[in-house]
Amino acid sequence: MSYPGYPPTGYPPFPGYPPAGQESTFPPPGQYPYPTGFPPVGGGAYPPAPSSGYPGAGGYPATAGYPTPGGYPGAPPPGGAPSYPGVPPGQGFGAPPPGGAGFSSYPQPPSQSYGSGLPQVPLPGGFPGGQVPSQYPGGQGPYPSQPAAMTQGVQGTIRPAANFDAMRDAEVLRKAMKGFGTDEQAIVNIVANRSNDQRQKIKAAFKTMYGKDLIKDLKSELSGNMEELILALFMPPTYYDAWSLRNAMKGAGTQERVLIEILCTRTNQEIREIVRCYQSEFGRDLEKDVRSDTSGHFERLLVSMCQGNRDENQNVNHQLAQEDAQRLYQAGEGRLGTDESCFNMILATRSFPQLKATMEAYSRVANRDLLSSVAREFSGNVESGLKTILQCALNRPAFFAERLYYSMKGAGTDDSTLVRIVVTRSEIDLVQIKQMFKQMYQKTLSTMIVSDTSGDYRRLLLAIVGQ
């Protein structure tokens, strides 16, 4: 899929990137410098804004595959992406399935090292002695069940602005950046109260009115985390995911937790759009890059995710759930060693509602819940990937709430993770993520943001998240 308005061959290089001729997909230098505040990598600047028109008309592509602002519909169209969490009341974390042994509270007991291969972000399981306390960190009880209200569909904190006027907004932004100093509050007021689609229209209107690139102007006025957050908000959602994946695999080392967070949680249509965008914008094959940056069972799991072929039928086949539970037991707890391919096949192909039913059946078959069995049978990145899929089947907003919590817990803040989750979920399910955050940690997401950030960066995050 070609994205009109982007350079046909890719992105400008930066200092340290291979010279021309060795990396033929990049145009000559001298366009945009790589934004400060992003992790240092070898290339891949933010693309120029569309030269004309609004998205879908010569500018950025229309955001096909994304829900209309306001969240996923409660009932997906046939063959469409599932709306999560679609869990009946009382069937979230910690609620035992009827007639069975039930899940123990989530996160699970010993050896639940949710990310033993990801030292940069301590995740559940990193407690003294490897034990997970019976009460969630900072909490007053076991991992929460999903509130009944959350079964009625999902909801973002950002909605499209009424009486939207792209040219008026472009004029306000121009005035905010003109002359001495920058009126950051004016910028915050606009970007935090417009949908992504509206921001693309503001970007196009700005270039039409002033013959200048809005992103280039914003970058010259901003820096650090504020710049990273603003640029993320102005990227089309598909492009932002593709950019994040490219960024995670560039240069020395790989940010595996970013690959897991995106590839294991997106819908089929979102993944297919990301794969196409990755090819058209970076001139690279996502699956090949994943293969070259990962190995073993983790590589196979991510390659499976790159196909975007998970079953998305919302109907649950209880007979199949029972059979899958038996297969998983025989592939892990019921034998010496582990048949990893069996886990990969079931977790990569079954729909999320089907996986939830399989987890309930498994707890009856094995007298142990599937999350703790995965922790016993696997380790490192493949363990984290498999658990992410299961956690999304149980309660997707709780998965993202947990990621946000650990991005800010302890010394320092993982700002890239904080920015990425707040931006990517802001029009999908950030309302539910906030609810789960408060239920799990007995504090609001905004309270934690206030204590971990400062200045305009804090102000803009709070404007997106809401109180």
Side-chain angles (χ1 to χ4, degrees):
M1 179 170 70
S2 170
Y3 278 45
Y6 288 122
T9 54
Y11 290 99
F14 311 93
Y17 210 75
Q22 293 182 30
E23 185 76 25
S24 59
T25 59
F26 290 81
Q31 295 197 16
Y32 298 144
Y34 192 70
T36 57
F38 282 122
V41 293
Y46 191 79
S51 55
S52 66
Y54 290 160
Y60 282 100
T63 50
Y66 284 84
T68 51
Y72 287 116
S83 169
Y84 292 113
V87 185
Q91 290 294 311
F93 294 119
F103 300 120
S104 54
S105 60
Y106 165 51
Q108 300 304 324
S111 80
Q112 164 114 347
S113 56
Y114 178 94
S116 47
L118 314 176
Q120 295 165 320
V121 184
L123 291 170
F127 299 102
Q131 300 291 315
V132 176
S134 60
Q135 294 192 342
Y136 207 76
Q140 301 300 316
Y143 212 83
S145 299
Q146 202 162 301
M150 290 173 62
T151 65
Q152 306 305 314
V154 289
Q155 183 184 340
T157 55
I158 291 184
R159 303 294 187 94
N163 305 315
F164 170 66
D165 183 337
M167 296 181 80
R168 184 180 61 210
D169 285 351
E171 190 175 356
V172 171
L173 290 176
R174 173 86 175 115
K175 284 178 181 170
M177 293 182 286
K178 197 175 178 183
F180 296 103
T182 303
D183 182 357
E184 282 90 355
Q185 187 60 52
I187 297 173
V188 167
N189 290 344
I190 287 182
V191 298
N193 293 292
R194 305 291 183 272
S195 67
N196 188 279
D197 184 58
Q198 289 176 333
R199 289 184 216 115
Q200 305 311 321
K201 291 173 180 172
I202 293 169
K203 198 157 48 175
F206 192 92
K207 183 167 273 191
T208 301
M209 293 164 71
Y210 303 111
K212 297 180 72 178
D213 184 80
L214 174 59
I215 302 307
K216 194 171 180 182
D217 274 15
L218 284 168
K219 282 172 59 181
S220 69
E221 300 289 337
L222 306 168
S223 62
N225 294 324
M226 179 67 167
E227 178 184 359
E228 178 172 359
L229 179 53
I230 288 278
L231 295 192
L233 287 163
F234 273 101
M235 291 186 197
T238 302
Y239 177 80
Y240 185 37
D241 277 346
W243 181 91
S244 297
L245 290 169
R246 181 76 192 107
N247 197 54
M249 292 185 280
K250 261 187 181 152
T254 304
Q255 298 169 27
E256 290 89 356
R257 68 188 188 280
V258 178
L259 306 185
I260 292 169
E261 180 195 304
I262 294 174
L263 293 175
C264 294
T265 67
R266 302 303 191 249
T267 66
N268 287 348
Q269 182 150 2
E270 285 168 345
I271 285 175
R272 290 171 191 166
E273 291 287 335
I274 289 165
V275 168
R276 282 196 287 266
C277 179
Y278 195 92
Q279 178 69 53
S280 64
E281 302 316 320
F282 305 111
R284 304 177 67 94
D285 184 285
L286 177 58
E287 185 182 320
K288 280 185 184 172
D289 278 1
V290 164
R291 285 184 187 278
S292 67
D293 268 59
T294 58
S295 61
H297 299 296
F298 181 53
E299 173 195 335
R300 288 170 212 163
L301 179 65
L302 292 188
V303 168
S304 294
M305 296 298 100
C306 285
Q307 308 312 305
N309 278 333
R310 180 181 298 283
D311 176 24
E312 291 189 333
N313 184 341
Q314 295 297 285
N315 297 321
V316 172
N317 179 336
H318 292 283
Q319 177 64 33
L320 178 63
Q322 188 65 35
E323 291 167 7
D324 281 350
Q326 196 67 46
R327 283 194 198 104
L328 291 169
Y329 179 73
Q330 295 300 336
E333 298 278 4
R335 58 175 282 169
L336 190 64
T338 308
D339 178 2
E340 293 89 356
S341 63
C342 177
F343 278 83
N344 194 100
M345 184 277 288
I346 291 173
L347 269 64
T349 61
R350 306 296 189 242
S351 71
F352 285 107
Q354 184 68 34
L355 282 175
K356 185 172 184 299
T358 301
M359 294 172 80
E360 291 168 357
Y362 185 91
S363 67
R364 295 190 287 270
V365 168
N367 222 19
R368 179 194 303 281
D369 64 82
L370 186 51
L371 274 165
S372 66
S373 286
V374 167
R376 286 158 60 93
E377 300 291 327
F378 295 88
S379 63
N381 294 315
V382 67
E383 177 194 352
S384 298
L386 292 171
K387 282 181 172 179
T388 295
I389 293 167
L390 294 174
Q391 287 165 331
C392 283
L394 279 174
N395 189 327
R396 184 174 307 228
F399 166 75
F400 286 111
E402 181 180 271
R403 294 282 287 131
L404 285 169
Y405 178 76
Y406 283 96
S407 75
M408 293 180 280
K409 184 179 182 286
T413 304
D414 178 359
D415 290 290
S416 289
T417 295
L418 176 58
V419 166
R420 189 175 56 253
I421 294 177
V422 166
V423 171
T424 57
R425 311 311 293 183
S426 63
E427 293 182 52
I428 300 174
D429 56 1
L430 192 51
V431 168
Q432 282 74 23
I433 291 168
K434 284 165 56 182
Q435 290 171 359
M436 292 310 309
F437 193 97
K438 187 170 184 183
Q439 191 171 337
M440 291 157 69
Y441 304 107
Q442 275 64 57
K443 63 173 83 173
T444 64
L445 176 56
S446 56
T447 301
M448 203 157 179
I449 287 172
V450 166
S451 64
D452 263 63
T453 60
S454 61
D456 296 314
Y457 173 52
R458 173 202 283 170
R459 202 184 315 167
L460 180 51
L461 280 173
L462 291 175
I464 298 166
V465 168
Q467 295 305 313

